[in-house]
Amino acid sequence: MSTHLKFILWNCRGGIHNSRKQNFIKDLVRDHDIAFLGLLETKKELIDLFMVRRLFPHLDYDFSFVPSIGASGGLLWIWNTSVINVTSISTGDRWIYSDFMWEGSMQRYVLIYASTAAADHIIFWNENLVVGYTPSMIALKDFFNEAELIDLPLQGRSFTWHNSLSKGLSDHSPILFKVGNEVDWGPKTFCSFNAWWNHDLKSSIMDS
């Protein structure tokens, strides 16, 4: 029986040395039993095993990171080695790219923190072969097609940025993904047709 592959992506806006934020991240991982965690804007030039252990509650884990430039950017990817088997991994200034095995199938994961400068977009797309009708949008569309990615129909908040988390955590909301052989897009909305309410149920029962 297939299990779900669950992972969390969060722009944590730095401060991962803070015990309050560390506990928040660790609780996310534990409560949702996730396979891996991607953090953006760590704002850390160096991340070691001691730091990762304070963020990830599982005993079997490994990690990869991209250092920040001063207090800007920084990426961290932590995964549970008992759930996924990473076969290759590479990093750039603003991305972490990896292939891994999960339940006998090859999966691909790319963690990206792109610059907001338009000039940097072109360099970034070319570097990664990695939104309607500007050159940047066309480049991204081409990347989606070449990498065979899909745009997930996310539910919940309309935007990942929402100034509603506790002060000091982040102004971005964590995103929880759940992937399985049977795709679950969440609860179905209730549909009703007016004709149903106009139908004479009593007469239908008598006729039958």
Side-chain angles (χ1 to χ4, degrees):
M1 179 178 179
S2 174
T3 58
H4 287 290
L5 177 68
K6 293 184 286 187
F7 58 97
I8 286 177
L9 174 66
W10 187 36
N11 185 328
C12 62
R13 297 297 299 273
I16 58 175
H17 62 281
N18 179 278
S19 60
R20 184 161 170 262
K21 184 166 288 189
Q22 290 173 354
N23 290 333
F24 176 79
I25 294 172
K26 184 177 290 188
D27 288 344
L28 281 177
V29 176
R30 181 184 297 111
D31 293 346
H32 297 286
D33 191 27
I34 69 167
F36 58 88
L37 168 71
L39 297 178
L40 299 90
E41 270 200 272
T42 61
K43 300 186 179 182
K44 296 286 290 183
E45 295 182 355
L46 179 63
I47 294 177
D48 56 21
L49 282 169
F50 180 74
M51 169 66 69
V52 174
R53 189 69 190 94
R54 296 173 70 92
L55 300 174
F56 209 70
H58 300 298
L59 295 178
D60 302 316
Y61 65 90
D62 204 346
F63 71 99
S64 178
F65 77 98
V66 172
S68 65
I69 302 174
S72 174
L75 301 171
L76 174 60
W77 182 41
I78 313 171
W79 64 93
N80 187 337
T81 56
S82 66
V83 176
I84 64 175
N85 177 30
V86 173
T87 58
S88 67
I89 189 166
S90 59
T91 62
D93 291 339
R94 293 179 175 272
W95 51 270
I96 298 175
Y97 172 98
S98 179
D99 289 332
F100 63 87
M101 294 293 296
W102 172 67
E103 293 198 337
S105 64
M106 183 65 71
Q107 308 291 327
R108 178 163 294 167
Y109 178 70
V110 185
L111 182 63
I112 300 172
Y113 182 69
S115 169
T116 57
D120 292 339
H121 288 172
I122 298 176
I123 298 175
F124 180 76
W125 304 145
N126 290 337
E127 182 181 15
N128 290 274
L129 295 179
V130 182
V131 142
Y133 297 91
T134 65
S136 292
M137 296 173 75
I138 294 174
L140 183 60
K141 175 184 66 67
D142 291 341
F143 167 72
F144 283 159
N145 291 334
E146 292 176 17
E148 299 182 355
L149 301 178
I150 61 172
D151 186 11
L152 297 178
L154 301 180
Q155 295 189 359
R157 296 185 186 276
S158 300
F159 305 96
T160 60
W161 181 89
H162 198 285
N163 193 19
S164 63
L165 291 178
S166 301
K167 186 176 181 180
L169 288 176
S170 176
D171 56 4
H172 289 71
S173 299
I175 306 174
L176 171 66
F177 296 88
K178 183 172 68 172
V179 182
N181 290 336
E182 294 184 2
V183 179
D184 180 7
W185 300 127
K188 305 298 186 296
T189 57
F190 174 74
C191 295
S192 172
F193 297 97
N194 291 335
W196 292 351
W197 306 107
N198 295 329
H199 186 69
D200 189 345
L201 179 61
K202 181 178 180 180
S203 61
S204 295
I205 295 175
M206 293 178 64
D207 292 342
S208 61

